Amino acid sequence: MRMMLKAVVLWGVLVVGTGLASMEAVHAADKVGSKSEAQKSKARTVEKAKAAPVSKKASSKKVAQQGKAVPRVSKAKSTRVAKASTAAPTKKSSASRTAKKQKTVDPAMAGAADLWHGQEHLAVRSGSALVIAQDGGEALYEKNARIVVPIASITKVMTAMVVLDSMPNLQAPITITDEDVDYLKGSRSRLQVGSVLTREMALLLALMSSENRAANALGRHYPGGLSAFVAAMNRKAAALGMSRTHFEDPTGLTSNNVSTAHDLARMVAAAYRYPLIREFSTTPGATAEVKGRDLEYRNTNQLVKSPTWEIGLSKTGYIQEAGKCLVMQARVADRPVVIVLLDSSGKQTRIGDANRIKRWMESASASGKATPA
């Protein structure tokens, strides 16, 4: 009996031990599974964090730096700029190359090219225009400056040079005849047929007031007559290098008197060497005694009376084919220049263009920009 009881007890112990072992195995398996799941969850969290580091960083900064909104935004902006630079190294290197290239440009040369040749800085409305140093060299501004066009009474500058080259007696009288009347354009004149005036007065009226009868009379009284005078005008033009210029009369009433802005700049520079042409072309007004009457004449260029201009030589012109024209030698921004304006439309366009050129040059000088030599 006692042996049977021991066997029963032993069998119970074995059963309980086996059950406990099984339970421990189950618990162990559960622990392993939980640990594996936790590791997987942690891995997913890390992956998410790697996928969105900026959001995590920004979120942590937001919690840590409450009350410092402005520095946080500024720093975040810097971070974004830094990240953008890192993400696009090609653009950064391109910008760097551009910056280096800009640093190597001579500021004086850049200023000259930008200002003096940048036509967006100067809007000239005349059909042809030229601004050039009086002694020649590179043009400061030009527009259609090599196109051959009619030049109207700008012709009279050449007329004056040819008259003075012949070394005439300036006090000798010349008479206005029917040959001096304009039957081509029908322009008016207060010098009636039969009027007598000195050659000097005729030259003054031709240059200052663009008096056509006076200019034609000067040509007629040239040795050899009018045809010889016109031939001398063309020889003078050729001698000055005015290769695209042609004259057919001393007044400019014919549209066959043609030239270019560049050729006329040569003519103006040459005419400036004649003191009498400088004086007469810039005289604001004068009184001529003709047939016992005093006739008041004014300069056709209103700018010669302006205190803001320093003009050394001036001549205007107009016929329908040529439009309004103006040539001047002037000192602008402390530089002697020749200004040529041709084919302007409107009563004040050529004057407006001249003033725009003056302001343009003065602005450049005031800003210290260099000009071409």
Side-chain angles (χ1 to χ4, degrees):
M1 186 69 178
R2 214 178 274 177
M3 291 294 291
M4 288 179 66
L5 286 171
K6 286 182 180 179
V8 170
V9 169
L10 181 59
W11 179 81
V13 169
L14 290 172
V15 170
V16 171
T18 303
L20 289 172
S22 299
M23 288 180 67
E24 286 178 4
V26 170
H27 284 302
D30 287 343
K31 286 181 180 181
V32 171
S34 299
K35 187 175 181 181
S36 175
E37 190 66 29
Q39 288 176 346
K40 288 181 180 179
S41 176
K42 187 175 181 181
R44 284 195 297 270
T45 304
V46 171
E47 287 177 1
K48 287 182 180 180
K50 288 181 178 179
V54 177
S55 299
K56 186 176 178 181
K57 191 174 182 180
S59 177
S60 63
K61 286 185 179 180
K62 184 175 181 181
V63 174
Q65 297 183 8
Q66 288 182 355
K68 299 181 181 180
V70 173
R72 183 181 63 78
V73 173
S74 176
K75 191 172 182 180
K77 184 175 181 182
S78 300
T79 304
R80 286 196 298 272
V81 172
K83 287 182 179 294
S85 300
T86 305
T90 305
K91 290 185 179 179
K92 183 178 179 182
S93 60
S94 176
S96 177
R97 284 196 300 271
T98 303
K100 288 178 180 178
K101 187 181 288 186
Q102 289 174 346
K103 287 179 181 179
T104 60
V105 176
D106 185 352
M109 301 235 357
D114 180 50
L115 183 64
W116 296 106
H117 295 295
Q119 296 191 8
E120 66 275 12
H121 297 287
L122 178 60
V124 171
R125 298 176 185 174
S126 299
S128 296
L130 177 65
V131 183
I132 192 168
Q134 183 179 340
D135 56 359
E138 187 178 1
L140 305 183
Y141 176 88
E142 59 182 310
K143 173 185 176 182
N144 300 326
R146 299 185 187 278
I147 295 177
V148 177
V149 293
I151 60 173
S153 288
I154 304 302
T155 296
K156 294 182 176 74
V157 175
M158 180 61 78
T159 297
M161 284 195 287
V162 172
V163 167
L164 293 173
D165 285 348
S166 67
M167 304 292 289
N169 179 359
L170 293 177
Q171 301 308 314
I174 61 174
T175 304
I176 304 298
T177 69
D178 189 65
E179 294 179 64
D180 303 318
V181 176
D182 173 23
Y183 292 109
L184 178 63
K185 301 291 185 183
S187 60
R188 299 168 61 182
S189 172
R190 287 185 291 164
L191 294 179
Q192 299 176 1
V193 173
S195 298
V196 179
L197 60 163
T198 65
R199 184 178 272 109
E200 183 180 53
M201 180 57 71
L203 189 61
L204 171 62
L205 297 183
L207 288 171
M208 181 185 71
S209 294
S210 208
E211 176 42 80
N212 290 313
R213 292 184 183 180
N216 200 74
L218 287 168
R220 275 195 313 103
H221 286 80
Y222 184 81
L226 193 57
S227 60
F229 186 81
V230 172
M233 292 174 73
N234 286 304
R235 283 198 304 272
K236 181 78 171 179
L240 293 175
M242 300 170 65
S243 60
R244 308 190 73 185
T245 300
H246 177 72
F247 296 105
E248 287 192 3
D249 87 326
T251 67
L253 287 168
T254 173
S255 59
N256 292 329
N257 284 11
V258 296
S259 188
T260 68
H262 271 284
D263 276 8
L264 293 180
R266 288 174 176 268
M267 183 180 74
V268 171
Y272 187 79
R273 295 195 287 267
Y274 294 71
L276 211 54
I277 296 178
R278 295 202 304 270
E279 178 188 345
F280 286 178
S281 69
T282 58
T283 299
T287 301
E289 184 180 344
V290 180
K291 289 190 172 182
R293 293 186 304 143
D294 288 340
L295 302 178
E296 298 292 331
Y297 287 89
R298 291 178 298 176
N299 199 304
T300 53
N301 181 8
Q302 65 197 58
L303 295 178
V304 299
K305 296 184 293 185
S306 172
T308 64
W309 276 90
E310 187 180 345
I311 299 173
L313 186 149
S314 165
K315 188 69 196 78
T316 63
Y318 172 74
I319 56 173
Q320 186 175 1
E321 297 89 339
K324 302 279 186 178
C325 304
L326 173 65
V327 298
M328 293 192 300
Q329 184 283 339
R331 193 168 190 86
V332 183
D334 205 32
R335 288 195 67 174
V337 294
V338 173
I339 299 172
V340 180
L341 299 167
L342 306 174
D343 192 22
S344 297
S345 60
K347 189 176 181 180
Q348 292 295 318
T349 301
R350 58 188 173 184
I351 301 300
D353 280 346
N355 283 322
R356 278 185 282 273
I357 289 167
K358 182 173 180 289
R359 288 193 298 269
W360 174 67
M361 291 187 65
E362 289 173 343
S363 176
S365 178
S367 63
K369 294 290 182 68
T371 62

